[in-house]
Structures are given as structure tokens and as C-alpha cells.
Amino acid sequence: NAGVTQTPKFQVLKTGQSMTLQCAQDMNHEYMSWYRQDPGMGLRLIHYSVGAGITDQGEVPNGYNVSRSTTEDFPLRLLSAAPSQTSVYFCASSYDDRGQPQHFGDGTRLSIL
Amino acid sequence: ELKVEQNPLFLSMQEGKNYTIYCNYSTTSDRLYWYRQDPGKSLESLFVLLSNGAVKQEGRLMASLDTKARLSTLHITAAVHDLSATYFCAVDGTQGGSEKLVFGKGTKLTVNP
């Protein structure tokens, strides 16, 4: 049981490049979320999904796109990378709406030059 | 807009001492989560608090929730070095699920011998 798997673990991009951060879970969780973590800022929600085919914006969605074609996968796309998107990105999933805690992946450390 | 404030943000304490971390939030919610993060690592779920008056304990950590005061506390008893980490509280902003959490900025705890 792998839990939540994020790839890549590290990435360096140039300004203007695009890329996709992958997130997969094998726990059959309906809820999945993407957060970014910046020093002194805690975690901020980018986008989330309550099930396949359903996504919604979080607190800081600008510059990011998501899709949820399957229950297992929830990729995050950076459309045109900017230095302000340098951060650590965490994907998380949870089972239901009865207060189950979110399970977090190991994170992707992204630097935009 | 839901806001979550933790204090203190930095806490240095000696082994064997007791201390409390506070988490205040601005709007009604009865779902609150505590997570632990070690440096460079992912987040680990510690406690899920789902109702007013809820109290959970694990080892030297005890968490409680007062929904009327919009306050949760994380109490540390007889601290040991292994408790050194950053602790986050997170509040469910949707009144129905755990997919849209708002996190505090975290409390970085250092336990000194």
C-alpha cells in the first residue's frame, strides 16, 4: 500500500516553462487536494477535488490547472512557470466527509529560475 | 473567510517541561485537525477533533477543541527531544468535508536537553 505518491520529488524549471506534477493514491479516496508550502506561510490550498470529474479552486489557484479523470490521479499543471511559484507542493487525499484526516504525499520541491 | 491563527509560532523548551500551543479560528467549524511535520518531510496526522469538548491524547500530546470559543489547544507534557517538529492545526472550512482545509502557519517546537 503506497499511499499518496508524488513525482517528481525535485524539479528546476526556467521561467515560462510548463510542467505537470503528478499525484496518485491507491486508497480509493474520493477527496484529493493540492497545497503549496512556503516559509512562514503554512500550507495554502491550490485546488481540490471531491471525486472524479469534479474540481474546484482553493485559496491560491492562479497559474495552476488540475483535472481528475480517475479516482486515483490528480495532476497539477503549471501553465507558465514564474519565480513566485517556487515552493514545496504537497498532494493529499482523504476518504470521506466524516472527518477523516488527509494523507499527504512526500512533496515536490520546485524551483523556478 | 476562514482564518486560522496559531501561537506561538516558535517555541523553545527544555526537556521535562509542559507547554501549550494555541489554535484560534475565525468562523464556525466543528472539525479541526492537528498535524506534525519534521524538517524536509511530509505531514503526519496527529489528531482529529470533531465536536465541541473533544479531547484526544497520544503519548505526551493532548489536543482539545472548544467550538464556542473557536479554540483548540495542543498540550505537551514532559517534553522530550523527539517531539521537536513543526505542528500545524487545520480547520475544515466547508462544514461538511475535509477536502478544503485552512492551515495555521505552524508552531516550530524545539525541545532542548
Side-chain angles (χ1 to χ4, degrees):
Chain A
N1 192 340
V4 179
T5 302
Q6 290 184 236
T7 57
K9 294 189 184 306
F10 301 93
Q11 184 70 47
V12 179
L13 292 178
K14 294 181 179 179
T15 297
Q17 287 185 315
S18 62
M19 82 160 293
T20 299
L21 278 60
Q22 302 291 344
C23 176
Q25 53 89 10
D26 61 0
M27 297 173 282
N28 200 32
H29 285 174
E30 289 296 322
Y31 297 160
M32 297 187 75
S33 307
W34 276 103
Y35 296 88
R36 59 178 289 172
Q37 184 177 30
D38 301 296
M41 296 293 292
L43 279 77
R44 292 182 292 169
L45 182 64
I46 304 171
H47 286 283
Y48 66 100
S49 169
V50 300
I54 306 169
T55 63
D56 204 348
Q57 296 181 351
E59 179 185 357
V60 288
N62 292 342
Y64 308 95
N65 273 355
V66 292
S67 60
R68 184 95 180 270
S69 57
T70 67
T71 298
E72 293 78 20
D73 300 299
F74 191 43
L76 178 72
R77 298 181 185 86
L78 278 70
L79 309 175
S80 178
S84 61
Q85 293 178 305
T86 293
S87 188
V88 181
Y89 291 85
F90 286 100
C91 178
S93 72
S94 59
Y95 180 64
D96 60 18
D97 63 356
R98 298 191 184 97
Q100 296 297 315
Q102 292 192 354
H103 297 257
F104 284 80
D106 289 338
T108 295
R109 284 150 183 80
L110 181 63
S111 295
I112 315 295
L113 305 177
Chain B
E1 179 187 351
L2 173 59
K3 294 189 184 299
V4 180
E5 290 190 358
Q6 283 182 242
N7 67 82
L9 297 181
F10 299 92
L11 177 56
S12 180
M13 57 190 298
Q14 286 186 315
E15 281 191 329
K17 298 294 187 181
N18 304 333
Y19 209 83
T20 301
I21 298 171
Y22 297 89
C23 175
N24 292 274
Y25 54 98
S26 62
T27 64
T28 301
S29 178
D30 58 1
R31 296 170 190 251
L32 190 139
Y33 306 80
W34 284 96
Y35 290 88
R36 168 181 171 146
Q37 185 180 37
D38 292 304
K41 303 294 186 181
S42 184
L43 280 79
E44 172 191 358
S45 175
L46 292 175
F47 300 110
V48 179
L49 303 170
L50 299 179
S51 61
N52 186 43
V55 177
K56 295 280 185 73
Q57 183 165 5
E58 180 74 32
R60 300 174 187 274
L61 300 178
M62 183 174 70
S64 65
L65 177 62
D66 181 344
T67 58
K68 295 179 181 178
R70 298 176 186 167
L71 170 68
S72 179
T73 60
L74 181 65
H75 186 72
I76 303 156
T77 300
V80 293
H81 179 70
D82 286 351
L83 290 179
S84 296
T86 298
Y87 294 85
F88 292 94
C89 64
V91 180
D92 169 23
T94 64
Q95 290 291 306
S98 64
E99 74 279 9
K100 194 172 181 180
L101 296 183
V102 178
F103 280 78
K105 293 185 177 180
T107 297
K108 184 174 182 180
L109 171 65
T110 303
V111 181
N112 302 304

